[in-house]
Amino acid sequence: MKKKIWFILPLVILLIAVFVAPIVQKKDSCQKNVVTKHTASAKQLVTTRKKAKSAKLKHADPTAHWTSLTSPVKIPILMYHSISDKPGNSLCIPPEQFANQIKWLKQNHYYMLTPTQAYLVLKTNKVPSKKIVWVTLDDGYLNNYTAVYPVIKQLNAKVTINMITGFSQNQGMLTLQDLKTMKKSGLVTISSHTVHHEELNTLTAEQQKQELVASKAWLDRNLKQNTNMICYPVGRYNDATAILASQAGYKLGLTTTPGFASASQGLFALHRLRVTPGMSNYSFSHLVSTY
């Protein structure tokens, strides 16, 4: 009987080992998977936190990676109006000329500013690139949509259109839908050129206030934005204009005084460079870089 038991016992132990081993192995495998998953989750959490921190820093200071200048910054602000073939009108630039000039700016590595970026450049004396330019178009002609918009989409260029808000239903002018379409592209900023295009220096303080406030309110409401730049009609303004513009919520004011814009002029009296019909690329390059 004892001999029989000693013979059966090893078989029982062997059978137990056969059944238990896979269970133990499966348990170890599960534990390893759990550890791996926890490690992956931890790494993902760290990556997510780093991205969030980076985005937060970028949002907090958009000039963080800009270059500080030792001398006062100067911005070439280009002034266009109608982009059309109309001989004899100094405010009309042929579409081909406009396209060539935007191509020239892109080929020569000019960084095209928005009004907000221009404000930051002037306030901080820092620049996002060695070469900067701010392209503006006054009044809000329909050809800014038909002739300008296709060019800047093709070249990924940025421009600012200064809209006379009271003219949005006039023939030959941009409609509200045109403005919305262009703004949605991220390539066009819409700023104020007042409501009725009256020369501000001929108006009373109350009339100026109405023009400044109502045009900004129209743009802010219809385009869901905070309009921060006013372009004075015909470049005319007086001592009260800057105060009223600031009170209305603007941060910048553009004139037609020729020259590069600088902080020393005052943020509500910035100079611009007028582009004229028939200007060659050589003359244009001279205007932008050596005024």
Side-chain angles (χ1 to χ4, degrees), residues 52-63:
K53 185 178 180 180
S54 176
K56 186 177 180 181
L57 288 172
K58 185 177 180 181
H59 178 74
D61 183 11
T63 70

Side-chain angles (χ1 to χ4, degrees), residues 123-279:
K123 288 291 289 183
T124 65
N125 210 55
K126 296 167 70 175
V127 292
S129 178
K130 184 178 179 181
K131 296 179 181 179
I132 55 174
V133 67
W134 183 5
V135 180
T136 65
L137 298 105
D138 291 1
D139 301 334
Y141 294 102
L142 180 59
N143 54 54
N144 288 185
Y145 183 81
T146 58
V148 173
Y149 190 44
V151 170
I152 64 172
K153 281 198 298 183
Q154 180 184 358
L155 298 174
N156 193 35
K158 291 187 177 182
V159 303
T160 299
I161 294 176
N162 303 316
M163 182 68 193
I164 306 170
T165 58
F167 290 8
S168 64
Q169 294 183 339
N170 292 8
Q171 187 175 3
M173 305 299 287
L174 293 168
T175 66
L176 177 57
Q177 187 55 52
D178 295 333
L179 297 174
K180 287 181 177 180
T181 299
M182 290 190 289
K183 179 179 184 289
K184 189 177 180 180
S185 72
L187 299 173
V188 181
T189 302
I190 314 298
S191 292
S192 172
H193 203 30
T194 72
V195 180
H196 300 105
H197 202 257
E198 299 283 346
E199 296 180 23
L200 295 175
N201 63 329
T202 67
L203 305 180
T204 66
E206 185 58 34
Q207 288 172 325
Q208 285 196 58
K209 181 179 177 181
Q210 277 295 110
E211 288 287 326
L212 296 167
V213 171
S215 58
K216 174 174 164 56
W218 189 91
L219 292 170
D220 289 355
R221 179 178 67 256
N222 288 296
L223 298 179
K224 305 294 186 295
Q225 64 181 34
N226 182 16
T227 309
N228 62 2
M229 191 270 281
I230 174 69
C231 178
Y232 310 133
V234 201
R236 306 290 170 78
Y237 63 102
N238 57 27
D239 293 339
T241 309
I243 297 172
L244 293 168
S246 178
Q247 290 174 347
Y250 297 105
K251 292 183 177 181
L252 298 173
L254 302 188
T255 72
T256 56
T257 305
F260 276 47
S262 66
S264 63
Q265 296 158 4
L267 297 183
F268 289 94
L270 298 176
H271 298 181
R272 286 193 289 171
L273 303 172
R274 184 186 296 273
V275 181
T276 57
M279 185 177 281

